[in-house]
Amino acid sequence: MIHGETNGIRKSILEKLEQLYDTVIPAGQVFCSNLAATMLELSSQINREIAVYLNRKGKVTHVAVGDIRTVSLPSVDGRRSEKRLSGFRCIHTHPNGDSRLSSIDLAALKNMRFDLMAAISLTPSNETQASFGFISDISTENDSLLTQTIGPISLTEFIQLDFNHLILQIDKVLESSTTFNNLHESERAILVGLEQAGTWDVQDSLNELGQLAETAGAEVVAKIWQKKDRPDAALFIGKGKVQEISMLRQEYNANLVIFDDELSPSQQRNLEQALGVKIIDRTSLILDIFAQRAKSHEGKLQVELAQLRYNLPRIGGQGLILSRLGGGIGTRGPGETKLEVDKRRIRSRISDIDQQIENIKKHRQLHRENRTAADIPTIALVGYTNAGKSTLLNRLTSAGVLAEDKLFATLDPTTRRITLPNGLEVLLTDTVGFIQKLPHQLVSAFRGTLEEVGHADLLLHVIDSSHPNYQLQMDAVFKVLRDLQADTKPMILTFNKTEQFDSSQISRLLRDQENSIAISALTGQEIDSLLHMIEGRLKKQTIDMDLLIPYNDSGALSRLHDTATIHFKDYQEDGTYLKVSLPANLKDYYLHYQYQPGAENDVPVYRKNT
């Protein structure tokens, strides 16, 4: 069997390539001149790379054909231990006349743990030269494999290499290493984006995707993007770009490819088949971060619901086993396929979680009604992820919630009571951070939690003013607020992280923004001004009144203490005289207690209006 790109190759050439399997190299010898001459001749005829695998007995086990630049190598698994080499050496041609190993050659050497990687070529003077590389050691700093290369040298010098001694020395180095088993534990990711008109700058979007990947625990090794009017229906990107990613995957030993947009199930399956590694998209990555960060029972349910809704249409691509009938007694006959059973179980679980979340929403609604009855103003912190909402909550309330310089560092909402300078008590709620391309599954699953935004009396939109794309981040938040029908709520634009600016920059920042303030939640700068601004915005939703409550109407006085801000109190002959600030919706209730001074003097006289 000939592996790789065989299209367009004459049958006679393919037959000669098949004959390479009959070659046997003498034991202990790395290569032979006859095999080299045949490979170079065939490579010259088709102008493509040709690669062969040789096992330690000198037998050719694989033959592969590529293009002029590279060849896709078939996978092998001959290792008897994680601390041993594969037992195969790969020797291939370089039709361009330069035998020196490329970065892709060395990446394949490390990734497949070849005994040796070599390239042969013909020089302009028609002499055969060779270059080879091998694993020489393991770095103690980052647990990565180190390689050593030799060449170009003559073919004769290459054939005279003491191959057995070289393999023995490499095996000793690997067996003595204590870090070798950890080499493949980390996920090394390539980020892929699509540049389209009217969207975020693709590099900025990929930088944010890189932050998400690092938050999830992956190491970003490369970024690549393509300018395209619309995504390809089959592969999302073009076939040429897929081949380029395949080269990068080999060069950087990547085991994960992350796309910056949501992929369809068919696109994801096609890409996995083409690249041979795990493929995920931005939605899947964000869901994974949410799964790591969710701590409360409700948060875990919401994340599980979003993941199930995302995975349901993708379950069909998880292997042939899911399309077979279940086996064993009671499962034979025209019953459900395993794929149908799994989908039915997922739908059942989705229904169960929906019911649990609905019950939680009912409990939350009761709490909300109690707060409404008590007329305690509520303020919701909203904003882009990592804008500093949790840091601001800690600054205002000493809540002690986790605050890190990471995307989605906190997930579960936190509510704390604070007292404003005028004595008014309010509830401050930290909500989940927003992000561009926020998965609709998450918005749907977290709708119950996000309803708190819609019921808040005031929104504090926290903005990372130090971010170069803060305006685009603001637009992304407003988009989610519109989806929640909360974009018309009273709002204070709170530009955070101003410790990184001077006063002139802050002035420019606030010049065109109404109802805005610049603060530093980290240092506490302008926090008092923010509290006074909150008072002012809430005051617009209240009304000042002078009241006289009779002594025998203790219920009204008690409710007043719970719902209003009392500025002055005096005990008069006819009742308790108060100057208060009331929620506007309670004005009618207290109107008949309104104090009206006597016509002849200023002594308070209670008159109950009819």
Side-chain angles (χ1 to χ4, degrees):
M1 176 183 176
I2 306 300
H3 301 271
E5 302 293 332
T6 58
N7 293 334
I9 299 179
R10 297 196 310 268
K11 184 178 180 181
S12 59
I13 300 293
L14 292 175
E15 290 175 350
K16 291 181 180 180
L17 289 170
E18 289 280 0
Q19 292 172 7
L20 296 179
Y21 282 103
D22 299 330
T23 306
V24 178
I25 306 296
Q29 186 172 310
V30 68
F31 203 44
C32 70
S33 57
N34 290 339
L35 181 56
T38 304
M39 290 175 61
L40 288 171
E41 180 184 357
L42 295 174
S43 182
S44 176
Q45 290 179 14
I46 62 177
N47 198 29
R48 299 188 191 184
E49 285 196 6
I50 296 175
V52 296
Y53 289 4
L54 294 162
N55 62 20
R56 292 190 179 176
K57 294 180 180 181
K59 172 72 175 171
V60 176
T61 61
H62 297 75
V63 178
V65 178
D67 55 32
I68 190 172
R69 292 181 301 132
T70 186
V71 57
S72 297
L73 299 177
S75 60
V76 294
D77 190 11
R79 288 194 302 274
R80 294 159 288 172
S81 165
E82 282 295 316
K83 291 192 174 185
R84 302 294 293 273
L85 295 173
S86 67
F88 295 88
R89 57 191 180 273
C90 175
I91 301 175
H92 63 290
T93 63
H94 278 183
N96 60 7
D98 187 353
S99 69
R100 288 175 297 180
L101 298 181
S102 66
S103 58
I104 295 177
D105 292 334
L106 296 177
L109 168 65
K110 293 188 288 186
N111 186 38
M112 304 182 74
R113 300 184 199 172
F114 285 124
D115 292 352
L116 178 140
M117 169 66 78
I120 57 175
S121 65
L122 283 175
T123 65
S125 58
N126 210 33
E127 295 179 358
T128 303
Q129 67 177 14
S131 299
F132 66 94
F134 53 90
I135 295 171
S136 58
D137 205 348
I138 299 177
S139 171
T140 56
E141 294 182 1
N142 55 13
D143 293 346
S144 62
L145 293 171
L146 303 178
T147 60
Q148 182 176 340
T149 59
I150 296 177
I153 58 177
S154 68
L155 179 62
T156 302
E157 291 176 305
F158 178 53
I159 293 175
Q160 292 174 350
L161 174 69
D162 191 344
F163 181 61
N164 284 342
H165 177 72
L166 177 64
I167 296 303
L168 182 63
Q169 295 303 312
I170 296 173
D171 277 339
K172 284 183 179 180
V173 170
L174 298 183
E175 288 177 358
S176 63
S177 172
T178 58
T179 61
F180 195 80
N181 288 332
N182 299 324
L183 288 176
H184 292 279
E185 288 183 359
S186 63
E187 290 188 294
R188 298 168 58 82
I190 296 174
L191 309 183
V192 184
L194 204 61
E195 183 178 0
Q196 295 176 280
T199 60
W200 276 46
D201 179 79
V202 65
Q203 295 187 53
D204 291 336
S205 190
L206 284 179
N207 288 337
E208 182 179 85
L209 186 67
Q211 288 183 280
L212 288 169
E214 291 169 359
T215 300
E219 177 189 358
V220 177
V221 296
K223 300 174 184 177
I224 188 171
W225 64 89
Q226 182 178 36
K227 189 172 183 178
K228 205 173 177 68
D229 293 336
R230 57 180 179 273
D232 182 80
L235 295 168
F236 188 79
I237 52 176
K239 291 183 179 179
K241 192 60 67 172
V242 172
Q243 293 177 353
E244 191 175 339
I245 295 172
S246 181
M247 295 299 106
L248 284 175
R249 183 187 67 79
Q250 295 181 54
E251 182 177 354
Y252 291 102
N253 192 25
N255 53 11
L256 176 66
V257 179
I258 307 175
F259 282 75
D260 195 29
D261 293 271
E262 186 168 333
L263 300 172
S264 70
S266 60
Q267 288 171 336
Q268 188 170 357
R269 287 194 297 269
N270 293 339
L271 287 165
E272 286 178 346
Q273 291 173 0
L275 296 173
V277 293
K278 183 168 66 173
I279 306 293
I280 65 173
D281 56 20
R282 173 183 275 258
T283 297
S284 179
L285 180 61
I286 293 176
L287 289 175
D288 183 83
I289 295 172
F290 271 54
Q292 294 181 38
R293 299 291 181 175
K295 303 299 181 184
S296 68
H297 175 62
E298 181 184 4
K300 292 177 180 178
L301 284 176
Q302 291 168 324
V303 171
E304 184 183 357
L305 177 62
Q307 287 179 321
L308 289 174
R309 286 175 173 166
Y310 173 78
N311 289 325
L312 181 59
R314 290 166 172 78
I315 194 172
Q318 298 181 5
L320 293 175
I321 187 173
L322 293 179
S323 63
R324 297 174 184 166
L325 288 173
I329 297 174
T331 63
R332 299 182 179 90
E336 292 179 298
T337 64
K338 191 174 189 308
L339 175 59
E340 291 168 342
V341 171
D342 285 349
K343 285 189 173 182
R344 178 167 53 81
R345 287 174 177 168
I346 289 178
R347 292 190 184 99
S348 176
R349 179 59 180 161
I350 288 175
S351 177
D352 180 52
I353 296 176
D354 272 331
Q355 185 59 49
Q356 293 187 56
I357 291 179
E358 190 62 32
N359 291 335
I360 293 174
K361 286 174 62 177
K362 292 178 181 178
H363 286 294
R364 189 186 295 112
Q365 180 63 27
L366 289 176
H367 289 298
R368 189 181 297 126
E369 290 174 356
N370 290 336
R371 292 200 302 267
T372 302
D375 281 305
I376 301 178
T378 58
I379 302 172
L381 291 168
V382 299
Y384 209 79
T385 179
N386 203 34
K389 297 185 299 299
S390 297
T391 303
L392 180 57
L393 180 72
N394 289 336
R395 171 65 63 178
L396 294 175
T397 68
S398 302
V401 299
L402 177 68
E404 293 182 322
D405 188 17
K406 288 184 178 181
L407 303 186
F408 300 114
T410 53
L411 173 59
D412 297 311
T414 303
T415 299
R416 293 291 186 270
R417 187 186 294 256
I418 64 171
T419 302
L420 298 178
N422 64 0
L424 177 66
E425 287 191 339
V426 299
L427 293 178
L428 186 63
T429 299
D430 183 18
T431 62
V432 63
F434 301 152
I435 196 169
Q436 62 138 342
K437 305 175 186 176
L438 186 67
H440 64 86
Q441 294 92 344
L442 275 178
V443 176
S444 176
F446 279 76
R447 187 166 292 277
T449 301
L450 294 173
E451 281 179 357
E452 296 294 331
V453 175
H455 291 277
D457 297 295
L458 177 67
L459 302 182
L460 287 188
H461 181 179
V462 184
I463 303 157
D464 179 2
S465 55
S466 67
H467 197 284
N469 289 326
Y470 76 88
Q471 186 63 55
L472 291 174
Q473 292 183 348
M474 290 172 60
D475 294 340
V477 173
F478 285 129
K479 181 180 182 301
V480 178
L481 291 177
R482 282 194 297 272
D483 293 341
L484 297 171
Q485 297 181 344
D487 54 315
T488 59
K489 286 279 180 182
M491 182 183 300
I492 295 176
L493 297 179
T494 309
F495 290 96
N496 190 24
K497 305 186 181 182
T498 55
E499 70 275 4
Q500 303 178 30
F501 294 142
D502 56 36
S503 57
S504 61
Q505 289 176 300
I506 294 174
S507 298
R508 288 196 301 270
L509 195 66
L510 302 179
R511 187 177 302 150
D512 299 325
Q513 299 292 345
E514 192 176 353
N515 297 317
S516 62
I517 187 172
I519 68 162
S520 172
L522 184 65
T523 65
Q525 178 184 348
E526 296 297 328
I527 292 297
D528 289 340
S529 299
L530 173 62
L531 292 174
H532 286 295
M533 180 174 282
I534 293 173
E535 285 181 358
R537 292 309 304 274
L538 290 177
K539 190 174 182 64
K540 293 180 179 179
Q541 303 171 52
T542 62
I543 184 170
D544 293 332
M545 297 183 72
D546 290 359
L547 304 177
L548 189 65
I549 309 296
Y551 291 120
N552 61 358
D553 202 345
S554 58
L557 184 62
S558 176
R559 186 182 182 189
L560 197 63
H561 279 281
D562 292 334
T563 59
T565 301
I566 300 176
H567 304 293
F568 177 78
K569 181 193 294 185
D570 186 31
Y571 296 102
Q572 302 292 334
E573 179 180 351
D574 296 323
T576 306
Y577 170 69
L578 307 105
K579 288 181 175 289
V580 300
S581 295
L582 280 172
N585 62 322
L586 293 181
K587 176 184 177 182
D588 292 341
Y589 178 83
Y590 285 101
L591 192 60
H592 60 278
Y593 295 114
Q594 187 171 14
Y595 164 72
Q596 296 182 3
E600 298 180 357
N601 54 62
D602 291 331
V603 178
V605 176
Y606 169 69
R607 185 199 308 171
K608 186 171 181 178
N609 296 331
T610 57

